[in-house]
Amino acid sequence: MSRTSSDFQVFAKPAGSVCNLACDYCYYLDKEELFPYGGIKRMPFDLLEKYIIQHIEASPENEIRFSWHGGEPTLMGLDFYRRLVELQRIYCPSGKTIRNGILTNGILLDDNWGSFLADEKFSVGISIDGPEELHNKYRLTKKGGPSFEAAMNGYAILQKHDIDIDILCVVNSSNVKYPLKTYDYFREIGAEYICFLPLVDRSQDLDAGVSLASVQSKTWGEFLCSIFDEWKENDIGKIKIQTIEEAVKTAFNQEHSLCIFRKTCGDIPVIEHNGDFFPCDHYVTRDRLAGNIYETHLGRLIEDPVQRAFGRAKLDTLPGYCLKCEVLDMCNGECPKNRFIESPDGETGLNYLCEGYRLFFNHCTPFVSELAKIWRRSNFEAVSNRETRAGRNDPCPCGSGKKYKQCCI
């Protein structure tokens, strides 16, 4: 049986690390060194078919999600994606639904792309780092020129065709100084879903531990707090901000959607253009190559004990400082790639962004706690209306997970 024991998401990279931009902070461009052979780095159609079959066979859910990443995945051209959806229709079992998402810089998007993405109901993530002067700080063309105008042309195409858009904003040492300017711009262009991604770049051997383009931890927390306050005042129900959404999930006892905040990871591996399997987008290195789907089924690679151990290590290696933290459930130590500083008591493995996240999560905790009270109250009233009775030591009917005597009683 090749089906996995739990749901998963794969970052499939049909063009590998190849991109039509040369963003200063990109951590994936140098992955081309892993594939030194000549020729164009493109996923061949026979591998595409094999991957689609294996992904469908491995998925335990009725909704099967495909995520197309890069590099820049639109470099594969529209015909590649037309063939892709044809293959998905051929192999999709009855009763199951396939969803596609693609992450792009928007440069190559035109009306043909827009029509296709809309017709096939792709969700699209587009990388925009704020207004022109902030976006162009690091998001540069191969010749070192600005990319803002071309990216916004792509964004306009997506809006024109009424496509679901997620804006992915890399927060760096430049735009982190202007939280409201950045957020205001996204509101002006009609953003409905925004993901702020903190830049932590250790590609250079610097005494400070990170590159000059990286965010400082406390400044990152202040950035999130400023945006949260503005969002709470004016935009609840209008705009979704991923980090806030993740914090709010704890009010409803929901599992985090974003891998960096889950207790364990390992369920979002990478398939490269040649079929190579890596445990995570941030761990595509020679020593982490786990296999190839030409030789080993995707489901077996995901369920492999080495892959599962990689995921459990996130929890197993949490410093004691984190285990005592008042906002542990919101953070869970964030991404392991960022755990390279010492805790105040000298323990290794603390997340570089700890100070910032602790600041932000404590800042929004009163809001989240109030939501939790409202939710428990409404659940309890619904249960009471059904004349359900709970004993003092039974789980509370509101769903909090606490005993009835310690909760709504």
Side-chain angles (χ1 to χ4, degrees):
M1 172 63 70
S2 299
R3 184 168 296 171
T4 61
S5 58
S6 59
D7 197 16
F8 62 88
Q9 181 182 4
V10 175
F11 284 177
K13 298 177 179 283
S17 63
V18 178
C19 189
N20 50 357
L21 291 183
C23 303
D24 282 355
Y25 55 60
C26 183
Y27 64 91
Y28 215 81
L29 287 175
D30 63 358
K31 302 305 179 186
E32 191 170 5
E33 298 172 1
L34 295 173
F35 312 99
Y37 48 83
I40 299 173
K41 308 297 190 296
R42 293 174 63 94
M43 180 178 285
F45 283 119
D46 70 309
L47 177 58
L48 174 66
E49 184 172 18
K50 185 177 291 289
Y51 166 58
I52 288 172
I53 292 171
Q54 292 185 13
H55 188 122
I56 290 172
E57 290 176 343
S59 178
E61 303 294 329
N62 287 330
E63 182 172 287
I64 305 169
R65 297 170 298 153
F66 285 84
S67 300
W68 306 97
H69 282 238
E72 176 49 46
T74 61
L75 287 171
M76 296 299 292
L78 259 178
D79 286 345
F80 178 85
Y81 291 94
R82 290 189 179 109
R83 177 59 178 156
L84 180 157
V85 296
E86 288 176 2
L87 290 168
Q88 289 175 338
R89 290 191 184 99
I90 290 170
Y91 293 109
C92 183
S94 176
K96 300 219 172 190
T97 302
I98 289 179
R99 306 288 185 198
N100 285 290
I102 188 169
L103 175 60
T104 177
N105 56 36
I107 305 298
L108 296 179
L109 298 182
D110 58 18
D111 277 323
N112 289 329
W113 272 103
S115 295
F116 169 80
L117 295 170
D119 290 345
E120 300 299 339
K121 297 181 173 56
F122 272 62
S123 61
V124 180
I126 185 167
S127 297
I128 304 172
D129 285 356
E132 185 169 6
E133 66 274 20
L134 297 178
H135 177 95
N136 284 336
K137 176 70 175 178
Y138 295 110
R139 296 193 65 79
L140 305 173
T141 66
K142 294 290 189 183
K143 295 182 179 180
S147 67
F148 177 79
E149 184 176 345
M152 294 311 298
N153 286 339
Y155 181 74
I157 290 290
L158 297 175
Q159 286 187 310
K160 175 183 175 181
H161 290 272
D162 197 25
I163 293 167
D164 289 337
I165 309 169
D166 296 350
I167 289 180
L168 281 78
C169 173
V170 175
V171 182
N172 51 66
S173 59
S174 180
N175 57 7
V176 75
K177 301 172 186 175
Y178 306 99
L180 296 186
K181 182 177 182 178
T182 301
Y183 183 52
D184 283 345
Y185 178 72
F186 291 143
R187 286 193 292 196
E188 289 172 10
I189 63 174
E192 295 181 352
Y193 195 99
I194 309 168
C195 177
F196 292 109
L197 304 171
L199 176 63
V200 181
D201 177 18
R202 300 187 71 203
S203 61
Q204 303 176 47
D205 186 14
L206 302 173
D207 292 338
V210 295
S211 69
L212 296 177
S214 299
V215 294
Q216 296 299 309
S217 182
K218 183 179 180 182
T219 312
W220 164 240
E222 292 169 343
F223 176 93
L224 291 175
C225 288
S226 295
I227 290 176
F228 172 81
D229 290 342
E230 181 67 19
W231 171 85
K232 186 176 72 168
E233 184 70 22
N234 297 301
D235 297 320
I236 293 178
K238 300 176 185 176
I239 297 175
K240 292 185 177 182
I241 299 172
Q242 191 174 40
T243 310
I244 298 174
E245 292 279 306
E246 293 298 321
V248 167
K249 282 180 180 293
T250 61
F252 310 120
N253 294 326
Q254 294 176 342
E255 183 181 4
H256 288 293
S257 298
L258 196 57
C259 62
I260 61 173
F261 297 134
R262 294 177 190 165
K263 290 182 179 180
T264 60
C265 57
D267 290 323
I268 309 182
V270 164
I271 295 294
E272 262 287 349
H273 67 287
N274 66 342
D276 282 349
F277 178 99
F278 295 91
C280 167
D281 194 49
H282 291 285
Y283 289 85
V284 178
T285 56
R286 287 189 178 88
D287 61 320
R288 293 286 186 172
L289 175 61
N292 189 290
I293 63 170
Y294 271 124
E295 302 161 354
T296 307
H297 194 283
L298 174 65
R300 289 181 56 194
L301 289 167
I302 293 173
E303 291 289 348
D304 188 276
V306 174
Q307 179 69 6
R308 289 307 182 194
F310 170 85
R312 288 193 306 273
K314 178 181 179 180
L315 175 61
D316 295 342
T317 59
L318 263 182
Y321 183 78
C322 293
L323 295 174
K324 296 178 288 185
C325 181
E326 68 279 4
V327 292
L328 174 62
D329 287 345
M330 291 182 175
C331 175
N332 287 307
E334 211 247 2
C335 184
K337 79 176 180 66
N338 294 330
R339 295 181 184 176
F340 56 84
I341 65 171
E342 290 186 351
S343 67
D345 55 6
E347 192 175 4
T348 59
L350 184 66
N351 197 291
Y352 168 80
L353 295 171
C354 171
E355 182 181 11
Y357 276 122
R358 196 168 192 172
L359 174 67
F360 167 67
F361 286 132
N362 274 299
H363 182 75
C364 68
T365 288
F367 174 80
V368 173
S369 297
E370 188 61 29
L371 284 181
K373 290 178 183 177
I374 295 170
W375 178 68
R376 287 198 298 270
R377 191 180 307 125
S378 64
N379 275 8
F380 179 71
E381 289 172 355
V383 170
S384 297
N385 289 338
R386 294 197 300 269
E387 298 183 347
T388 298
R389 295 288 180 262
R392 289 174 56 82
N393 292 309
D394 292 335
C396 186
C398 79
S400 68
K402 297 179 181 180
K403 290 184 178 180
Y404 184 37
K405 67 182 180 181
Q406 296 171 333
C407 194
C408 291
I409 197 170

